[in-house]
Amino acid sequence: MFSSRREIFDAAASLDGFTGNGDYLRAEMDWLRRLIRYEIEDANKRVDGSAADEFGGLYVSLEQVDRHLTEQGRVQKAGGREPRHGATDLSDARTSLERQISLAEADGLELRLPLAARTFGLNHVERTALLCCLAAELDIGMSRLFAYLQDDATRKRPTFGLLARLATQSDVDPIGVREIFAPSSPLFRCKLIEPPSDTLDIAFPAIEARLVPGLTDFLVGSDRLPSALGDVAEVVVAADQLDERAYYRRHRAIIEELLRYRLSKGSLPLCCISGPEGAGKARLTVTFAAAIRKNVLRVSASRLLAGSAGVESLSNLLAREARLRNCIILLEDIDELSDDAERERAKVQSIEIALRTLAGCDVIATGAAPVADLRHRLRPRPLPFELTYPAPGEAAELWQNLLTPHPGARSAVDVSALGGKFRFTPGQIERAIDAAVAAAPKDNAGRAVVSSAALHGRCRDEAERNLHAFCHKIVPRHGWTDIVLPGDTFAQLKEVCHWARHRSQVYEEWGFGSSVGPIQGVAVLLSGASGTGKTMSAEIIANDLEIDLFRIDLSRIVSKYIGETEKNLSRIFSQSASNNCVLFFDEADALFGKRTEVKDAHDRYANIEINYLLTEIERYQGVIVVATNMKGNVDPAFIRRFSHVVEYPMPNARLREAIWRKSFPNRTPLAADIDFAFLAQNFELSGGNIKNIALSSAFLASAEGGGITMGHVILATKREYQKIGRVCSKSDFGHHYALVRERDAP
């Protein structure tokens, strides 16, 4: 059945070295076969050389009962241990194998089983047990040998009792088996082996042991993660991914601080790096990992929480894989939680379970929310770090460098203008450039020809991502020539655009940032009656600055649930931070109303919403336009934070005439009898009302098949009066009053 002992020993001793991990495992399997040979020979001697019962496992014979009683008594008298025959030869073979292992690892060869043993602190007995479990997974012949040793053809994996006998090379009683494989053993504590799930009625020594899923692949040399982690994590080979550009100075400073912590403490405490998407959180982590000679296990927090295997089970798997593969764990986007408050609480608890499970590993968590918010969510409190958007000068340098591989695009755009208009992180800049280059036509040399307009378009696409959940994009159609306003109001709107366009120069080049604080946004309050031009003004500002306009949908923002309104506002401001757009709050009294005396919990939480909005407006660096019909309802604290407050009075007769004339497009067929001076003098209406009348008169005329006459305009004016609840008096309609009366006749 077996070769002679001498032949096996000579074969083990004659190996010149290992060519790889697979070659090493074959040598381990050869040694294990020799160990099993000794076990079988001793087992046969204990039953007087008789063959094993071919019906073993199907019934319990009187002979088996007698053998059990005899052997257990002998084991207990020997103190639970009895040396095996031929132990010296086996020990010599093991010594030879260990010597080859040392030589191979000294030459830089990675041998996975010794690596796992060192990583988890396995002793020789535990390592041999792990080898036996691996052999059962790899070799059907080994499975047959284990079944033979256990006198049961159905048991193809070794039981804990057999593992104890093989690993210690001695007889072990049931108590000794449990001592070897106690719950505190690294094999169990580090989730390396596990019993089947249905073992309630089985004595522990008779329970089959098996490797946990995914460990076999690692031990045979595969770099593939366990299938349970396939959608959750990936291994990133560490390398220095930070160049010498000015923006990455902060990243380098954080890495130096992390290195000091690790040097002083011996390990890295839980760290949290917050910052906008694409700011380089992953790059920082990979560069830090390279500095401490580790790789990175990159984990999606949202997928970890949604995994079907459960958070604790997946976290245990992550901890094991991180230790085996010498990785730090990068837990990304931990702030991507549920919109539902109850589900969010459950997910926060799950994150805490994951962090407790990963406590023995180096963990860096990242998110886009402010670092204070992330620290508040996590237990234990992490070590906080924060990355910000590039300053205008840093952004221009990033654009310049990232456009270098695309000379056609670099020559077509003004990088300073791009850096000032779009508040992008390096990751967002790269995505915008890649999208523009991919869609651009090629020249004769095969190079992409990217126009400035095309690159701006891709930048706008990048900036608008995720904004549409709470906003409606408005395409600006109006310019300065389309609006009619008093001279001072018109001048104030011009000043708003000047502020937005020249902020970088004033705050950075002229030094105001050092005296009044960092660069600030432009917040404008437009106050006036409905129809006086507030919405059109917001369009004109966006059009003049060549940026997008987003109207905030208050129905999606304001929530009756405590804390939900603030959370929605936070998402809007954080998602729009990269886009130098105009955020337009129309009819915003519900959000910007006055704080009240606190009489109940409702008042207190309503005031909290206002306080939160005050803070966000002060911190936001884009352009905000707030429109209200009643300035008196706006909390005074907001007034101080607005850089401009623009009043929109009702237009006087001169302005109304100009509005009447602009309300009819040049191509509109107008009759000669239309008296714009009369309309402006007699009807005290806002610009919005006048535009409604113009449109209504056009439909009246179109239905009759002719041009617009004064009669159509008078009738349309009557309809507008009826809509807004005003009486059609003779004093207003003058000599045209007969047209109104005539139309009223049956």
Side-chain angles (χ1 to χ4, degrees), residues 239-316:
D240 191 337
Q241 295 188 356
L242 301 177
D243 54 41
E244 297 303 320
R245 282 174 283 189
Y247 177 65
Y248 293 118
R249 290 173 187 163
R250 171 61 177 158
H251 299 64
R252 297 282 186 192
I254 292 175
I255 290 173
E256 290 177 4
E257 190 168 349
L258 291 176
L259 290 173
R260 287 194 297 271
Y261 268 101
R262 200 170 190 278
L263 182 62
S264 63
K265 303 292 184 181
S267 63
L268 193 67
L270 174 62
C271 298
C272 181
I273 303 175
S274 73
E277 181 188 3
K281 300 184 287 290
R283 289 182 182 181
L284 187 156
T285 305
V286 171
T287 303
F288 168 72
I292 60 174
R293 301 181 184 278
K294 288 194 174 190
N295 290 324
V296 175
L297 190 58
R298 191 171 185 174
V299 182
S300 167
S302 59
R303 292 179 180 177
L304 172 65
L305 301 185
S308 58
V311 173
E312 188 170 7
S313 176
L314 287 176
S315 299
N316 278 315

Side-chain angles (χ1 to χ4, degrees), residues 178-200:
R178 192 54 177 164
E179 289 175 349
I180 294 172
F181 299 106
S184 59
S185 163
L187 292 172
F188 280 101
R189 189 180 69 251
C190 301
K191 310 298 181 184
L192 301 179
I193 63 174
E194 63 182 6
S197 57
D198 52 344
T199 59
L200 292 178

Side-chain angles (χ1 to χ4, degrees), residues 52 86 89 116 127 153 186 192 225 280 282 337 389 405 413 469 497 502 510 515 553 579 612 620 657 663 680 698 721:
D89 289 345
R127 175 173 160 180
L192 301 179
L225 288 172
L337 300 178
Y389 283 96
V413 300
C497 296
H502 298 289
W510 290 7
S515 61
D553 188 344
N579 184 6
Y612 177 82
Y620 185 66
E657 182 173 351
S663 296
Y721 263 44

Side-chain angles (χ1 to χ4, degrees), residues 669-676 708-710:
L670 296 178
D673 65 339
I674 295 180
D675 188 348
F676 289 114
I708 301 175
T709 65
M710 190 64 174

Side-chain angles (χ1 to χ4, degrees), residues 405-425:
H406 311 289
R410 186 178 60 180
S411 60
V413 300
D414 181 352
V415 293
S416 297
L418 282 174
K421 183 175 295 186
F422 297 101
R423 194 167 173 240
F424 279 179
T425 61

Side-chain angles (χ1 to χ4, degrees), residues 533-578:
K534 300 184 296 296
T535 301
M536 182 184 288
S537 296
E539 288 190 37
I540 291 171
I541 291 171
N543 202 358
D544 183 75
L545 297 174
E546 297 181 318
I547 56 179
D548 295 320
L549 174 65
F550 289 90
R551 185 204 299 266
I552 307 301
D553 188 344
L554 295 181
S555 67
R556 301 181 189 178
I557 296 296
V558 179
S559 173
K560 66 180 180 180
Y561 297 106
I562 294 172
E564 287 298 301
T565 301
E566 295 94 318
K567 187 189 303 180
N568 294 336
L569 286 169
S570 176
R571 288 175 178 148
I572 288 177
F573 285 117
S574 62
Q575 290 167 3
S576 62
S578 63

